[in-house]
């Protein structure tokens, strides 16, 4: 099922994480979109999980936020334990 959405706890929600990072930097959707070279509508759709960004779009957006793909997808600490993520191509 190529179109099935993963709902397990090991998947990273790119949109909400991107929104949190943008808000922590004090940027509006429009200002980040302009810095990243995408439309505000596209960024809004990504943040609201209506579309997934290409790797290039995500990289450009993260560059505008002053972070890297590696930092964005790095392990996060949950309940005092490191949570590691493994990314594989969709089947």
């Amino acid at each position: 099922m190529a179109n099935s959405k993963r709902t397990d706890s090991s998947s990273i929600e790119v949109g909400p994480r991107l929104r949190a990072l943008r808000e922590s930097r004090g940027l509006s959707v429009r200002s980040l979109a302009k810095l990243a070279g995408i439309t505000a509508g596209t960024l809004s759709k990504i943040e609201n999980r209506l579309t997934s960004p290409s790797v290039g779009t995500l990289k450009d957006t993260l560059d505008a936020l002053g972070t890297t793909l590696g930092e964005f997808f790095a392990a996060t600490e949950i309940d005092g334990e490191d949570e590691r993520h493994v990314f594989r191509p969709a089947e």
Side-chain angles (χ1 to χ4, degrees), residues 3-91:
N3 292 331
S4 66
K5 185 176 176 183
R6 288 187 55 171
T7 57
D8 64 39
S9 62
S10 67
S11 65
I12 288 183
E13 296 287 345
V14 171
R17 183 176 253 188
L18 194 58
R19 173 184 285 130
L21 189 57
R22 173 182 59 76
E23 289 174 346
S24 76
R25 301 289 198 275
L27 293 169
S28 68
V29 170
R30 284 185 186 207
S31 61
L32 176 56
K34 185 175 181 177
L35 290 169
I38 61 174
T39 67
T42 296
L43 180 56
S44 178
K45 286 179 183 178
I46 293 167
E47 288 186 353
N48 289 300
R49 294 180 275 174
L50 298 175
T51 191
S52 295
S54 67
V55 172
T57 295
L58 183 57
K59 182 186 180 310
D60 292 344
T61 304
L62 294 174
D63 286 347
L65 288 166
T67 193
T68 66
L69 285 165
E71 292 167 341
F72 187 74
F73 288 112
T76 57
E77 192 172 309
I78 297 177
D79 296 329
E81 295 183 26
D82 279 341
E83 179 179 331
R84 306 248 179 233
H85 300 278
V86 176
F87 295 91
R88 295 187 177 94
E91 296 178 11

